[in-house]
Short mmCIF file of all heavy atoms in Angstrom, two decimals:
data_model
loop_
_atom_site.label_atom_id
_atom_site.label_comp_id
_atom_site.label_asym_id
_atom_site.label_seq_id
_atom_site.Cartn_x
_atom_site.Cartn_y
_atom_site.Cartn_z
N MET A 1 73.12 238.02 138.96
CA MET A 1 73.09 237.20 140.21
C MET A 1 74.53 236.67 140.54
O MET A 1 74.96 236.67 141.64
CB MET A 1 72.15 236.12 140.07
CG MET A 1 71.85 235.34 141.30
SD MET A 1 70.99 236.43 142.47
CE MET A 1 70.02 235.29 143.25
N VAL A 2 75.28 236.17 139.49
CA VAL A 2 76.49 235.59 139.67
C VAL A 2 77.56 236.71 140.11
O VAL A 2 78.44 236.53 141.01
CB VAL A 2 77.02 234.93 138.39
CG1 VAL A 2 78.50 234.55 138.49
CG2 VAL A 2 76.15 233.69 137.95
N VAL A 3 77.33 237.94 139.55
CA VAL A 3 78.20 239.07 139.94
C VAL A 3 78.05 239.38 141.51
O VAL A 3 79.07 239.63 142.14
CB VAL A 3 77.87 240.27 139.13
CG1 VAL A 3 78.59 241.57 139.58
CG2 VAL A 3 78.14 240.03 137.60
N VAL A 4 76.78 239.34 141.91
CA VAL A 4 76.56 239.64 143.33
C VAL A 4 77.21 238.57 144.20
O VAL A 4 77.89 238.90 145.19
CB VAL A 4 75.03 239.67 143.64
CG1 VAL A 4 74.82 239.71 145.10
CG2 VAL A 4 74.45 240.82 142.88
N ILE A 5 77.14 237.33 143.84
CA ILE A 5 77.70 236.21 144.57
C ILE A 5 79.26 236.31 144.58
O ILE A 5 79.87 236.03 145.56
CB ILE A 5 77.24 234.85 144.08
CG1 ILE A 5 75.78 234.64 144.30
CG2 ILE A 5 78.02 233.74 144.70
CD1 ILE A 5 75.11 233.43 143.66
N VAL A 6 79.80 236.87 143.56
CA VAL A 6 81.26 236.92 143.44
C VAL A 6 81.74 238.14 144.26
O VAL A 6 82.71 238.05 144.88
CB VAL A 6 81.63 237.03 142.00
CG1 VAL A 6 83.12 237.35 141.85
CG2 VAL A 6 81.36 235.66 141.30
N LEU A 7 80.99 239.22 144.18
CA LEU A 7 81.44 240.45 144.80
C LEU A 7 81.18 240.45 146.32
O LEU A 7 81.95 241.17 147.02
CB LEU A 7 80.64 241.63 144.16
CG LEU A 7 81.16 242.04 142.79
CD1 LEU A 7 80.34 243.27 142.31
CD2 LEU A 7 82.66 242.37 142.77
N LEU A 8 80.24 239.69 146.85
CA LEU A 8 79.99 239.74 148.25
C LEU A 8 81.24 239.36 149.14
O LEU A 8 81.50 240.06 150.10
CB LEU A 8 78.84 238.89 148.61
CG LEU A 8 77.43 239.49 148.22
CD1 LEU A 8 76.31 238.48 148.44
CD2 LEU A 8 77.22 240.71 149.02
N PRO A 9 81.95 238.35 148.83
CA PRO A 9 83.12 238.07 149.66
C PRO A 9 84.20 239.19 149.56
O PRO A 9 84.85 239.47 150.56
CB PRO A 9 83.71 236.77 149.03
CG PRO A 9 82.63 236.17 148.23
CD PRO A 9 81.74 237.32 147.78
N VAL A 10 84.27 239.85 148.38
CA VAL A 10 85.23 240.92 148.32
C VAL A 10 84.85 242.13 149.15
O VAL A 10 85.67 242.70 149.92
CB VAL A 10 85.34 241.39 146.82
CG1 VAL A 10 86.23 242.62 146.62
CG2 VAL A 10 85.86 240.25 145.85
N VAL A 11 83.58 242.43 149.20
CA VAL A 11 83.02 243.51 149.99
C VAL A 11 83.21 243.17 151.45
O VAL A 11 83.70 244.10 152.21
CB VAL A 11 81.50 243.74 149.68
CG1 VAL A 11 80.95 244.66 150.74
CG2 VAL A 11 81.39 244.28 148.29
N ALA A 12 83.02 241.90 151.85
CA ALA A 12 83.05 241.52 153.28
C ALA A 12 84.63 241.61 153.66
O ALA A 12 84.98 242.05 154.71
CB ALA A 12 82.68 240.07 153.41
N SER A 13 85.48 241.17 152.80
CA SER A 13 86.88 241.22 153.05
C SER A 13 87.42 242.64 153.28
O SER A 13 88.23 242.87 154.23
CB SER A 13 87.71 240.52 152.00
OG SER A 13 89.04 240.59 152.15
N ILE A 14 87.01 243.55 152.43
CA ILE A 14 87.50 244.92 152.43
C ILE A 14 86.87 245.54 153.68
O ILE A 14 87.62 246.34 154.43
CB ILE A 14 87.04 245.70 151.15
CG1 ILE A 14 87.81 245.16 150.00
CG2 ILE A 14 87.21 247.14 151.39
CD1 ILE A 14 87.27 245.69 148.64
N ALA A 15 85.68 245.31 154.01
CA ALA A 15 85.09 245.91 155.28
C ALA A 15 85.73 245.40 156.48
O ALA A 15 86.00 246.17 157.38
CB ALA A 15 83.52 245.55 155.30
N ARG A 16 86.16 244.14 156.53
CA ARG A 16 86.76 243.57 157.71
C ARG A 16 88.21 244.18 157.79
O ARG A 16 88.52 244.63 158.95
CB ARG A 16 86.94 242.05 157.61
CG ARG A 16 87.63 241.37 158.73
CD ARG A 16 87.69 239.92 158.59
NE ARG A 16 88.65 239.54 157.51
CZ ARG A 16 88.36 239.01 156.42
NH1 ARG A 16 87.16 238.61 156.13
NH2 ARG A 16 89.31 238.79 155.48
N ARG A 17 88.92 244.36 156.73
CA ARG A 17 90.24 244.93 156.76
C ARG A 17 90.24 246.35 157.27
O ARG A 17 91.09 246.85 158.08
CB ARG A 17 90.95 244.75 155.52
CG ARG A 17 91.30 243.32 155.20
CD ARG A 17 92.09 243.25 153.88
NE ARG A 17 92.32 241.77 153.59
CZ ARG A 17 92.83 241.37 152.49
NH1 ARG A 17 93.05 242.19 151.54
NH2 ARG A 17 93.06 240.13 152.34
N LEU A 18 89.28 247.13 156.72
CA LEU A 18 89.18 248.46 157.15
C LEU A 18 88.81 248.70 158.63
O LEU A 18 89.27 249.50 159.31
CB LEU A 18 88.12 249.25 156.23
CG LEU A 18 88.54 249.48 154.84
CD1 LEU A 18 87.28 250.09 154.02
CD2 LEU A 18 89.69 250.54 154.70
N ALA A 19 87.91 247.73 159.15
CA ALA A 19 87.41 247.85 160.52
C ALA A 19 88.68 247.52 161.39
O ALA A 19 88.88 248.17 162.44
CB ALA A 19 86.30 246.86 160.72
N GLU A 20 89.39 246.44 160.95
CA GLU A 20 90.55 246.10 161.81
C GLU A 20 91.62 247.30 161.87
O GLU A 20 92.20 247.47 162.85
CB GLU A 20 91.27 244.84 161.21
CG GLU A 20 90.47 243.56 161.46
CD GLU A 20 91.01 242.39 160.77
OE1 GLU A 20 91.93 242.50 159.95
OE2 GLU A 20 90.47 241.28 160.87
N ARG A 21 91.73 247.97 160.77
CA ARG A 21 92.78 249.02 160.66
C ARG A 21 92.29 250.12 161.54
O ARG A 21 93.13 250.79 162.39
CB ARG A 21 92.90 249.50 159.25
CG ARG A 21 93.99 250.51 159.14
CD ARG A 21 94.16 250.89 157.63
NE ARG A 21 94.62 249.64 156.87
CZ ARG A 21 94.53 249.59 155.57
NH1 ARG A 21 94.10 250.51 154.85
NH2 ARG A 21 94.97 248.41 154.94
N VAL A 22 91.06 250.51 161.54
CA VAL A 22 90.50 251.53 162.38
C VAL A 22 90.60 251.27 163.84
O VAL A 22 91.05 252.05 164.67
CB VAL A 22 89.02 251.90 161.97
CG1 VAL A 22 88.32 252.81 163.03
CG2 VAL A 22 88.98 252.52 160.55
N GLU A 23 90.29 249.93 164.21
CA GLU A 23 90.30 249.59 165.55
C GLU A 23 91.80 249.54 166.11
O GLU A 23 92.05 249.86 167.32
CB GLU A 23 89.64 248.25 165.75
CG GLU A 23 88.21 248.29 165.52
CD GLU A 23 87.50 246.88 165.44
OE1 GLU A 23 88.23 245.89 165.40
OE2 GLU A 23 86.30 246.88 165.40
N ARG A 24 92.76 249.23 165.34
CA ARG A 24 94.17 249.24 165.63
C ARG A 24 94.50 250.69 166.00
O ARG A 24 95.29 250.88 166.99
CB ARG A 24 95.06 248.70 164.66
CG ARG A 24 95.35 247.20 164.85
CD ARG A 24 96.40 246.71 163.94
NE ARG A 24 95.70 246.00 162.86
CZ ARG A 24 95.84 246.27 161.61
NH1 ARG A 24 96.75 247.15 161.21
NH2 ARG A 24 95.21 245.60 160.61
N ARG A 25 94.15 251.65 165.18
CA ARG A 25 94.56 252.99 165.40
C ARG A 25 93.93 253.64 166.65
O ARG A 25 94.55 254.36 167.44
CB ARG A 25 94.08 253.93 164.21
CG ARG A 25 95.04 253.83 163.06
CD ARG A 25 94.71 254.86 162.06
NE ARG A 25 95.25 254.47 160.67
CZ ARG A 25 94.71 254.78 159.67
NH1 ARG A 25 93.49 255.42 159.61
NH2 ARG A 25 95.20 254.33 158.46
N GLN A 26 92.56 253.31 166.88
CA GLN A 26 91.91 253.91 167.88
C GLN A 26 91.98 253.07 169.23
O GLN A 26 91.58 253.50 170.31
CB GLN A 26 90.44 254.00 167.65
CG GLN A 26 90.11 254.88 166.39
CD GLN A 26 90.50 256.31 166.72
OE1 GLN A 26 90.31 256.79 167.74
NE2 GLN A 26 91.04 256.96 165.69
N GLU A 27 92.48 251.82 169.17
CA GLU A 27 92.70 250.89 170.27
C GLU A 27 91.27 250.42 170.89
O GLU A 27 91.28 249.84 171.93
CB GLU A 27 93.58 251.48 171.47
CG GLU A 27 94.87 251.79 170.87
CD GLU A 27 95.80 252.35 171.95
OE1 GLU A 27 95.31 252.57 173.09
OE2 GLU A 27 96.97 252.72 171.60
N HIS A 28 90.22 250.76 170.20
CA HIS A 28 88.86 250.19 170.61
C HIS A 28 87.95 250.39 169.46
O HIS A 28 88.16 251.11 168.51
CB HIS A 28 88.35 250.94 171.81
CG HIS A 28 88.29 252.50 171.69
ND1 HIS A 28 87.22 253.09 171.02
CD2 HIS A 28 89.04 253.46 171.96
CE1 HIS A 28 87.42 254.34 171.00
NE2 HIS A 28 88.52 254.70 171.57
N PRO A 29 86.83 249.67 169.46
CA PRO A 29 85.80 249.80 168.30
C PRO A 29 85.28 251.23 168.36
O PRO A 29 84.92 251.75 169.29
CB PRO A 29 84.80 248.76 168.72
CG PRO A 29 85.44 247.79 169.57
CD PRO A 29 86.39 248.60 170.38
N THR A 30 85.04 251.71 167.14
CA THR A 30 84.43 253.04 166.92
C THR A 30 83.15 252.80 166.27
O THR A 30 82.77 251.70 165.72
CB THR A 30 85.32 253.92 166.17
OG1 THR A 30 85.46 253.38 164.75
CG2 THR A 30 86.69 254.13 166.71
N LEU A 31 82.37 253.85 166.10
CA LEU A 31 81.07 253.77 165.34
C LEU A 31 81.34 253.32 163.92
O LEU A 31 80.58 252.54 163.33
CB LEU A 31 80.40 255.16 165.41
CG LEU A 31 79.03 255.27 164.65
CD1 LEU A 31 78.05 254.28 165.41
CD2 LEU A 31 78.49 256.68 164.77
N GLY A 32 82.30 253.92 163.31
CA GLY A 32 82.66 253.47 161.94
C GLY A 32 83.08 252.11 161.75
O GLY A 32 82.69 251.42 160.90
N SER A 33 83.89 251.57 162.69
CA SER A 33 84.39 250.08 162.63
C SER A 33 83.20 249.23 162.94
O SER A 33 83.09 248.08 162.38
CB SER A 33 85.52 249.93 163.52
OG SER A 33 85.19 249.95 164.93
N ARG A 34 82.24 249.58 163.81
CA ARG A 34 81.14 248.77 164.01
C ARG A 34 80.20 248.72 162.73
O ARG A 34 79.68 247.69 162.45
CB ARG A 34 80.31 249.32 165.16
CG ARG A 34 80.91 249.10 166.53
CD ARG A 34 80.02 249.59 167.64
NE ARG A 34 80.78 249.63 168.87
CZ ARG A 34 80.86 250.76 169.60
NH1 ARG A 34 80.14 251.79 169.34
NH2 ARG A 34 81.61 250.78 170.77
N GLY A 35 80.09 249.87 162.04
CA GLY A 35 79.33 249.81 160.84
C GLY A 35 80.00 248.95 159.75
O GLY A 35 79.26 248.24 159.03
N LEU A 36 81.37 248.97 159.73
CA LEU A 36 82.03 248.08 158.76
C LEU A 36 81.87 246.64 159.12
O LEU A 36 81.72 245.85 158.24
CB LEU A 36 83.49 248.45 158.77
CG LEU A 36 83.81 249.85 158.03
CD1 LEU A 36 85.30 250.21 158.33
CD2 LEU A 36 83.63 249.78 156.63
N ARG A 37 81.89 246.35 160.34
CA ARG A 37 81.62 244.93 160.90
C ARG A 37 80.13 244.50 160.43
O ARG A 37 79.97 243.34 160.06
CB ARG A 37 81.75 244.82 162.36
CG ARG A 37 83.16 245.11 162.82
CD ARG A 37 84.09 244.02 162.55
NE ARG A 37 85.39 244.24 163.03
CZ ARG A 37 86.42 243.47 162.92
NH1 ARG A 37 86.34 242.34 162.24
NH2 ARG A 37 87.63 243.79 163.46
N ALA A 38 79.18 245.45 160.58
CA ALA A 38 77.83 245.10 160.15
C ALA A 38 77.78 244.88 158.74
O ALA A 38 77.04 243.96 158.25
CB ALA A 38 76.94 246.25 160.58
N VAL A 39 78.53 245.65 157.86
CA VAL A 39 78.53 245.36 156.40
C VAL A 39 79.12 244.00 156.14
O VAL A 39 78.58 243.26 155.32
CB VAL A 39 79.37 246.50 155.70
CG1 VAL A 39 79.73 246.13 154.24
CG2 VAL A 39 78.63 247.84 155.74
N GLU A 40 80.23 243.67 156.85
CA GLU A 40 80.81 242.34 156.67
C GLU A 40 79.86 241.26 157.00
O GLU A 40 79.64 240.26 156.20
CB GLU A 40 82.05 242.26 157.51
CG GLU A 40 82.70 240.86 157.55
CD GLU A 40 83.77 240.72 158.63
OE1 GLU A 40 83.97 241.54 159.40
OE2 GLU A 40 84.40 239.55 158.68
N THR A 41 79.23 241.33 158.10
CA THR A 41 78.24 240.30 158.55
C THR A 41 77.10 240.21 157.50
O THR A 41 76.69 239.12 157.21
CB THR A 41 77.75 240.68 159.92
OG1 THR A 41 78.79 240.77 160.89
CG2 THR A 41 76.66 239.58 160.43
N THR A 42 76.53 241.30 157.11
CA THR A 42 75.45 241.27 156.16
C THR A 42 75.87 240.67 154.80
O THR A 42 75.15 239.94 154.24
CB THR A 42 74.92 242.74 155.85
OG1 THR A 42 74.53 243.27 157.17
CG2 THR A 42 73.76 242.68 154.92
N ALA A 43 77.05 240.99 154.34
CA ALA A 43 77.53 240.37 153.13
C ALA A 43 77.68 238.85 153.24
O ALA A 43 77.34 238.11 152.36
CB ALA A 43 78.86 241.06 152.74
N ARG A 44 78.14 238.37 154.43
CA ARG A 44 78.43 236.96 154.60
C ARG A 44 77.06 236.23 154.65
O ARG A 44 76.78 235.21 154.12
CB ARG A 44 79.18 236.71 155.86
CG ARG A 44 80.66 236.63 155.65
CD ARG A 44 81.44 236.08 156.81
NE ARG A 44 81.43 237.09 157.95
CZ ARG A 44 80.98 236.88 159.18
NH1 ARG A 44 80.38 235.65 159.39
NH2 ARG A 44 81.06 237.83 160.05
N ARG A 45 76.11 236.87 155.33
CA ARG A 45 74.79 236.32 155.48
C ARG A 45 74.07 236.19 154.11
O ARG A 45 73.36 235.16 153.86
CB ARG A 45 73.89 237.05 156.50
CG ARG A 45 74.26 236.71 157.88
CD ARG A 45 73.42 237.51 158.80
NE ARG A 45 73.92 237.38 160.25
CZ ARG A 45 73.38 238.09 161.21
NH1 ARG A 45 72.51 239.11 161.02
NH2 ARG A 45 73.74 237.85 162.42
N THR A 46 74.22 237.26 153.39
CA THR A 46 73.53 237.29 152.08
C THR A 46 74.09 236.33 151.21
O THR A 46 73.35 235.62 150.37
CB THR A 46 73.74 238.71 151.45
OG1 THR A 46 73.14 239.69 152.37
CG2 THR A 46 72.87 238.83 150.11
N ARG A 47 75.43 236.16 151.18
CA ARG A 47 75.99 235.18 150.27
C ARG A 47 75.63 233.76 150.66
O ARG A 47 75.36 232.94 149.83
CB ARG A 47 77.61 235.31 150.28
CG ARG A 47 78.24 234.33 149.43
CD ARG A 47 79.73 234.65 149.26
NE ARG A 47 80.28 233.90 148.21
CZ ARG A 47 81.10 232.90 148.38
NH1 ARG A 47 81.46 232.53 149.69
NH2 ARG A 47 81.59 232.11 147.45
N SER A 48 75.53 233.39 151.95
CA SER A 48 75.14 232.11 152.42
C SER A 48 73.72 231.85 152.00
O SER A 48 73.31 230.76 151.72
CB SER A 48 75.39 231.88 153.83
OG SER A 48 74.50 232.80 154.64
N PHE A 49 72.86 232.87 152.10
CA PHE A 49 71.43 232.76 151.72
C PHE A 49 71.30 232.53 150.22
O PHE A 49 70.40 231.76 149.76
CB PHE A 49 70.72 234.09 152.04
CG PHE A 49 69.20 234.12 151.73
CD1 PHE A 49 68.34 233.28 152.39
CD2 PHE A 49 68.86 234.83 150.61
CE1 PHE A 49 67.03 233.37 152.01
CE2 PHE A 49 67.53 234.83 150.19
CZ PHE A 49 66.63 234.11 150.88
N LEU A 50 72.20 233.15 149.44
CA LEU A 50 72.05 232.97 147.91
C LEU A 50 72.61 231.63 147.42
O LEU A 50 72.43 231.33 146.32
CB LEU A 50 72.78 234.09 147.22
CG LEU A 50 72.15 235.52 147.42
CD1 LEU A 50 72.97 236.60 146.77
CD2 LEU A 50 70.72 235.49 146.84
N ARG A 51 73.44 231.02 148.23
CA ARG A 51 73.92 229.68 147.78
C ARG A 51 72.95 228.68 147.60
O ARG A 51 71.98 228.49 148.08
CB ARG A 51 74.93 229.21 148.84
CG ARG A 51 76.25 229.89 148.79
CD ARG A 51 77.24 229.23 149.67
NE ARG A 51 78.51 229.86 149.61
CZ ARG A 51 79.53 229.53 150.31
NH1 ARG A 51 79.45 228.66 151.17
NH2 ARG A 51 80.61 230.14 150.18
#
């Protein structure tokens, strides 16, 4: 359980950075960057639920 709580912010951070990088290259949101944003949101919600 502790491992999940510790890893969720890392996963959210990596997903956010990748989404930002993709959006900068394409100059608009893509299907992939939207998926990464969804991963980020899910990770944040899960972590807040587990607190």
Side-chain angles (χ1 to χ4, degrees):
M1 191 69 145
V2 173
V3 173
V4 172
I5 292 171
V6 171
L7 286 180
L8 285 174
V10 174
V11 169
S13 175
I14 292 171
R16 182 181 67 245
R17 289 180 184 173
L18 288 173
E20 289 172 352
R21 188 175 297 164
V22 169
E23 289 170 355
R24 265 188 262 127
R25 280 192 202 144
Q26 299 295 324
E27 298 181 1
H28 57 83
T30 64
L31 182 61
S33 69
R34 287 185 195 127
L36 289 167
R37 297 284 183 183
V39 168
E40 175 192 6
T41 302
T42 303
R44 274 192 285 122
R45 285 182 183 168
T46 304
R47 184 167 187 252
S48 67
F49 176 74
L50 293 175
R51 282 186 178 178

